[in-house]
Amino acid sequence: MDALTRRRFLISSGVIGGAAVAAGAGALGFHELLRTADKAKAGDAEVGLPTLVLVTLYGGNDGLNTVVPYADAAYHRARPELAYAPTRVLPLNQTLGLNPMLRGMKRLWDAKQLAVVLGVGYPKPDRSHFKSMDIWQTASPGTPAPTGWVGRWLDGTKAATETAVSFEPALPPMLVGKSRIGACVSYRGLTLPPGISPEVVSALGQVQPGESEMQARAAMAYADLITMNRVVTKSAGSGSDEQDHSGEGVPATGTGGDNALTAQLALVARCVESQVPTRVYSASLGGFDTHAGERVWQETLLRHLDEALSGFVDRMGRTEAGRRVTVVVYSEFGRRVRANASDGTDHGTAGPVFVLGHSVAGGFYGEQPSLTDLDDGDLKATTDFRDVFGTALAHVLAGDPDRYLGGYRAQLLPLLTSR
């Protein structure tokens, strides 16, 4: 079958997948990403450098029901139907505890591999999902910025495309610079119509002699889909390529993000273990816009978050490269202190940020905001989010925070240890 006939067969047969579309558009495919490890080892590039994984919780996660001020009477008065009884919370100290769905993260806390930065936000908070997320991803609260804070670091270091990779369906603004841009390698693998097997697609996707570079890349994209399916299902502990790891049962909304964090982190893990020279990975979980029926909704999301993060950190502990991985988990804002009439919470301001990994100095950082000294019913931020990102820039990426945070003088936090 010639190359043109093969392409037409693949399209007309209904084989679809994000990697194929992305590769055809000139993005980095998963096969190409894995091959960068061999190129880095053979060349002058440094391998095994510290790695940053950024996990975005789209929709505005309710921080007060994630890191719960269970001993504060004001918490129980403000949301009597939503507040967790002290006996249900996983205590971290005498006043704060984790949501009962976060048992894996409690285990990481006990092992000193989880840090909780309290009251994280920014001056003059904006309660729009899209404006607030734009502020977090560009690290520019005062004025709109055309580039993301990681993108500016990519510019400044003249980084290669594989230096920053998103396993989300779309490239987040955070990874976009003026002269450099990260790669988007969607975790979504393959959807096959009846009668078409993975083996057929894999065979048809083999590169043919005499093909142009673009045709060869398009062919390789189909092999990418097969590989990504197998990586994800194997990492999730399944022996079947047919099993769906798309995050079924995890709610999602139109505020951004996806609902398959486990699949995305499985691909990050494969890349870290293969010593791909990527320094920054981006993944996401959507659905945190809990205006109604919050308890069941958020618990489902937090259970998925807990399983994905704790499993990933455990896996990273098995290799030297994995032990140099730091994970930062954030959301665009928290929720209001008082519950609404629909057993939910509305858009708020400050919330906790999680930092996880085997190089993390576990514990609390910052100050828990007061539940009685409020700003129009909202928490007052006690830690600027740029202090967290500035710490990641300085201690994980060896960058100058002043240069990449728009001149903001970050107060660096002692989040990392040399162990």
Side-chain angles (χ1 to χ4, degrees), residues 142-163:
T143 57
T147 56
W149 65 273
V150 175
R152 295 194 288 273
W153 174 76
L154 295 174
D155 286 342
T157 57
K158 296 180 172 55
T161 302
E162 66 268 16
T163 304

Side-chain angles (χ1 to χ4, degrees), residues 28 34 38 49 91 112-113 140 143 149 168 180 219 226 232 262 312 321 346 367 397:
L28 194 64
L34 292 179
D38 296 328
L49 293 173
K112 306 295 184 185
Q113 294 170 5
S140 182
T143 57
W149 65 273
E168 303 171 76
R180 294 291 192 278
I226 301 296
V232 172
T262 300
F312 177 74
D346 298 323
E367 179 184 351
L397 302 180

Side-chain angles (χ1 to χ4, degrees), residues 225-269:
L225 302 178
I226 301 296
T227 300
M228 292 177 76
N229 273 5
R230 288 174 177 162
V231 168
V232 172
T233 52
K234 181 180 178 181
S235 299
S238 167
S240 170
D241 286 351
E242 301 296 326
Q243 185 167 339
D244 179 13
H245 295 284
S246 62
E248 183 179 355
V250 178
T253 64
T255 55
D258 214 318
N259 57 358
L261 181 60
T262 300
Q264 296 171 58
L265 292 181
L267 294 171
V268 174

Side-chain angles (χ1 to χ4, degrees), residues 22-85:
L28 194 64
F30 191 60
H31 266 101
E32 293 173 292
L33 182 60
L34 292 179
R35 280 197 296 274
T36 62
D38 296 328
K39 294 178 182 178
K41 295 170 190 174
D44 297 328
E46 293 185 84
V47 295
L49 293 173
T51 303
L52 178 64
V53 179
L54 297 163
V55 177
T56 304
L57 307 181
Y58 285 95
N61 179 42
D62 183 5
L64 289 176
N65 271 15
T66 301
V67 178
V68 184
Y70 67 92
D72 194 331
Y75 164 72
H76 295 277
R77 287 195 303 270
R79 42 175 69 187
E81 302 299 324
L82 288 181
Y84 283 95

Side-chain angles (χ1 to χ4, degrees), residues 43-324:
D44 297 328
E46 293 185 84
V47 295
L49 293 173
T51 303
L52 178 64
V53 179
L54 297 163
V55 177
T56 304
L57 307 181
Y58 285 95
N61 179 42
D62 183 5
L64 289 176
N65 271 15
T66 301
V67 178
V68 184
Y70 67 92
D72 194 331
Y75 164 72
H76 295 277
R77 287 195 303 270
R79 42 175 69 187
E81 302 299 324
L82 288 181
Y84 283 95
T87 54
R88 288 207 63 202
V89 172
L90 307 174
L92 302 180
N93 62 14
Q94 288 73 34
T95 60
L96 296 171
L98 289 176
N99 185 287
M101 299 298 105
L102 299 177
R103 294 189 177 277
M105 294 180 70
K106 174 60 164 63
R107 175 174 52 78
L108 295 177
W109 171 273
D110 293 339
K112 306 295 184 185
Q113 294 170 5
L114 169 64
V116 180
V117 188
L118 300 167
V120 183
Y122 56 87
K124 299 179 181 179
D126 193 296
R127 292 169 183 81
S128 160
H129 289 292
F130 307 105
K131 177 62 176 176
S132 189
M133 185 55 70
D134 182 68
I135 287 171
W136 276 81
Q137 297 215 3
T138 63
S140 182
T143 57
T147 56
W149 65 273
V150 175
R152 295 194 288 273
W153 174 76
L154 295 174
D155 286 342
T157 57
K158 296 180 172 55
T161 302
E162 66 268 16
T163 304
V165 172
S166 170
F167 283 119
E168 303 171 76
L171 187 73
M174 180 166 51
L175 304 189
V176 176
K178 185 177 294 185
S179 62
R180 294 291 192 278
I181 188 171
C184 184
V185 185
S186 174
Y187 76 89
R188 290 173 175 170
L190 186 65
T191 300
L192 291 175
I196 303 298
S197 70
E199 290 74 23
V200 169
V201 177
S202 183
L204 291 170
Q206 294 297 313
V207 176
Q208 301 293 318
E211 286 188 316
S212 70
E213 180 182 353
M214 288 303 295
Q215 286 177 320
R217 290 189 64 188
M220 290 163 54
Y222 288 97
D224 261 359
L225 302 178
I226 301 296
T227 300
M228 292 177 76
N229 273 5
R230 288 174 177 162
V231 168
V232 172
T233 52
K234 181 180 178 181
S235 299
S238 167
S240 170
D241 286 351
E242 301 296 326
Q243 185 167 339
D244 179 13
H245 295 284
S246 62
E248 183 179 355
V250 178
T253 64
T255 55
D258 214 318
N259 57 358
L261 181 60
T262 300
Q264 296 171 58
L265 292 181
L267 294 171
V268 174
R270 170 67 183 275
C271 290
V272 171
E273 291 162 354
S274 299
Q275 297 190 56
V276 168
T278 300
R279 300 294 307 282
V280 182
Y281 293 97
S282 178
S284 66
L285 180 62
F288 286 91
D289 197 17
T290 52
H291 289 282
E294 177 179 308
R295 177 69 71 87
V296 173
W297 192 342
Q298 191 194 28
E299 284 187 356
T300 300
L301 286 163
L302 291 182
R303 184 185 299 112
H304 183 65
L305 178 69
D306 181 71
E307 292 172 354
L309 290 175
S310 60
F312 177 74
V313 173
D314 288 345
R315 180 172 173 177
M316 289 297 90
R318 300 172 194 162
T319 64
E320 183 178 351
R323 288 188 288 274
R324 288 193 289 269

